Amino acid sequence: MPKPIAAAFFIVIAAFSLGAQSPAFEVATVRPAAPNPASQLPRMFQARGGPGTADPGQINYTGIPMRELLRLAYGLKLPYQFSGPGWMETERYDIAAKIPAGVTKEQFNVMLQNLLTERFAMLVHRETREINGYELSIGKGGLKFKESATPAPATAPAPPVDPNQTPRIKTEKDRDGKVQLAPGAAALVQFGIPGGIRYTARQQPISILTTVLENPLGKPLVDKTGLTGKYDFNLEFSRDVDAAADGPPDLFTAIQDQLGLKLEQKKIPVDVLIVDRAEKTPKEN
């Protein structure tokens, strides 16, 4: 009996090993992008295809910087989540690859990570670093916005949603004539205004505010408000750090005056991707 048991054990191990293989593209080409002529403006990169898009079976990236490839592969959101050589900000690449059917977004990320390892001899690790950031808390005067009212129960079934059309979000004007979401909406929408940005939100957790504000701040933002409900609020602030006298206020003033919140500088622990090694020129296809 020992031999059949050993054979069965070998088959199980072999099957497990095959199933554990890391996902990979069916075929992929990676080339340095052609340099941008000095007479032209800085070039925008293009990223098309992949899971969750209209073309899930392939990707075509044109003139994409290495830092953006890392953002896509490792799910990075902002520049402070990445540390690597300076050339990763400027070197651009053209990538075309076929994706096996049924690949999920998570599997695609691993495939892109493996491609970077294979073609650029890339070695990375993650570590927690304390960097300059902000904490969002309730100001001394208390909140200046309210928790959302409980939506009224529906009296009739909702009409079917057409998947080919973008849902229309209803807006209205507030007492000052400024646009805001109409009652019954559940979203946060950004509007461009002269010299600034306006966020209008209904039925949203405070975490949505910390998420959208990290971009204009350019630094990590941690929620210390203790607010756990869903809220309606509007926030309008200048695009520039130094707000113009006749325009919207700066973000720090707007947060305090319009929402009754405050931003305080703090050291924030952040998970950072560190590039230990990478070749600038990709391995031949």
Side-chain angles (χ1 to χ4, degrees), residues 172-180 193 198 234 236:
E172 62 180 14
K173 298 292 182 67
D174 65 12
R175 65 180 63 183
D176 297 320
K178 296 179 178 179
V179 67
Q180 65 179 11
I193 59 174
R198 179 175 174 84
N234 299 314
E236 188 174 296

Side-chain angles (χ1 to χ4, degrees), residues 67-79:
R67 58 166 169 74
E68 186 66 16
L69 284 170
L70 287 164
R71 186 191 71 78
L72 292 170
Y74 290 94
L76 308 179
K77 296 179 180 179
L78 292 169

Side-chain angles (χ1 to χ4, degrees), residues 2-22:
K3 289 185 178 179
I5 293 174
F9 180 72
F10 173 79
I11 291 171
V12 170
I13 291 296
F16 176 81
S17 299
L18 289 171
Q21 286 181 353
S22 190

Side-chain angles (χ1 to χ4, degrees), residues 148 181 187-189 199-204 208 231-234:
S148 305
L181 289 175
L188 181 144
V189 179
Y199 291 128
T200 174
R202 285 191 182 271
Q203 296 280 344
Q204 294 301 300
I208 194 72
Y231 304 89
D232 301 341
F233 58 85
N234 299 314

Side-chain angles (χ1 to χ4, degrees), residues 248-269:
D250 66 86
L251 177 56
F252 295 87
T253 302
I255 282 282
Q256 179 176 325
D257 292 350
Q258 298 171 27
L259 300 182
L261 301 174
K262 63 179 179 179
L263 290 166
E264 293 183 290
Q265 287 191 339
K266 297 285 183 179
K267 288 287 188 180
I268 307 296

Side-chain angles (χ1 to χ4, degrees), residues 55-156:
D55 193 5
Q58 62 181 358
I59 56 170
N60 283 284
Y61 297 162
T62 305
I64 188 168
M66 177 57 74
R67 58 166 169 74
E68 186 66 16
L69 284 170
L70 287 164
R71 186 191 71 78
L72 292 170
Y74 290 94
L76 308 179
K77 296 179 180 179
L78 292 169
Y80 63 75
Q81 293 181 297
F82 155 74
S83 177
W87 62 263
M88 292 187 166
E89 296 288 336
T90 57
E91 292 299 308
R92 293 170 175 262
Y93 303 90
D94 295 338
I95 297 177
K98 286 192 65 177
I99 305 170
V103 166
T104 66
K105 182 65 168 66
E106 292 73 19
Q107 290 172 325
F108 171 76
N109 290 349
V110 175
M111 292 165 65
L112 201 51
Q113 293 170 22
N114 291 341
L115 186 69
L116 294 174
T117 300
E118 176 188 345
R119 302 297 175 88
F120 294 90
M122 187 173 292
L123 180 64
V124 303
H125 76 277
R126 291 184 184 269
E127 65 181 52
T128 300
R129 291 183 173 181
E130 283 201 340
I131 65 175
N132 292 326
Y134 296 93
E135 286 184 354
L136 181 69
S137 59
I138 299 175
K140 290 182 180 180
L143 293 180
K144 296 184 179 180
F145 60 98
K146 296 181 179 180
E147 192 164 355
S148 305
T150 303
T155 56

Side-chain angles (χ1 to χ4, degrees), residues 37-60:
S39 60
Q40 293 185 9
L41 294 173
R43 179 178 51 189
M44 300 294 290
F45 70 86
Q46 294 180 336
R48 298 192 181 97
T53 72
D55 193 5
Q58 62 181 358
I59 56 170
N60 283 284

